[in-house]
Amino acid sequence: MGSWHDYQLISYTVDGENRQIIFQMLWASETKTDISRVYVTFSGVEGYHFERDMGENLVSDIKVVPLKPFLVKNARLFKQQRQWGWPLFWQGSVAATLAYLESRHVQCWELSASSGMSGWLLAQGEPNIRFI
């Protein structure tokens, strides 16, 4: 994926039934660009966690991060939260979860923001990007 720095994340849609998350972003800078609006659709979503949504969020980056370190870093949280059924992808250990996610070709995508919402999502393959 290209650079998303300075795009404004104006909405996101979670479609649980179809396992998709769609980010709608606008070019927020005053510089002119042919691409003013973009939809980034992640499919095969296994789980996600976003925080600090301010309604108008300024994206710093959306990038793939390695699965194993992500799982190691969050294992304690996942173990604690599993008693309430979240996250569905957690298989009881880092090794079992890594094997499960890799067998499904899942990648970990990290959303970072200059201002506002940040977090992560686990989805199969590359996102579909549609520029308008």
Side-chain angles (χ1 to χ4, degrees):
M1 278 183 11
S3 173
W4 299 110
H5 194 276
D6 289 339
Y7 271 85
Q8 184 180 17
L9 177 60
I10 59 169
S11 74
Y12 68 98
T13 304
V14 177
D15 180 345
E17 182 178 12
N18 293 305
R19 299 177 49 226
Q20 290 187 331
I21 292 179
I22 303 168
F23 292 152
Q24 181 182 174
M25 299 187 292
L26 292 176
W27 181 247
S29 177
E30 291 188 21
T31 59
K32 297 292 182 194
T33 179
D34 292 339
I35 302 164
S36 61
R37 185 177 302 262
V38 63
Y39 293 88
V40 181
T41 303
F42 294 90
S43 298
V45 173
E46 293 285 338
Y48 65 94
H49 177 76
F50 303 127
E51 56 189 5
R52 294 185 297 278
D53 183 0
M54 297 183 348
E56 294 185 10
N57 306 287
L58 196 56
V59 174
S60 177
D61 202 2
I62 302 171
K63 65 180 179 182
V64 175
V65 296
L67 266 175
K68 186 173 182 180
F70 164 79
L71 293 171
V72 168
K73 177 182 172 184
N74 291 286
R76 183 173 159 184
L77 172 67
F78 297 155
K79 287 176 188 176
Q80 289 173 340
Q81 296 298 309
R82 192 65 178 123
Q83 64 184 322
W84 292 284
W86 182 86
L88 292 174
F89 61 81
W90 185 250
Q91 303 295 303
S93 71
V94 169
T97 303
L98 182 62
Y100 169 78
L101 294 173
E102 286 179 338
S103 75
R104 298 174 65 81
H105 308 287
V106 170
Q107 298 184 80
C108 182
W109 295 89
E110 182 180 76
L111 168 67
S112 58
S114 302
S115 170
M117 190 170 88
S118 62
W120 55 264
L121 64 95
L122 299 177
Q124 294 173 333
E126 297 288 323
N128 180 323
I129 301 169
R130 185 168 51 105
F131 295 99
I132 297 177

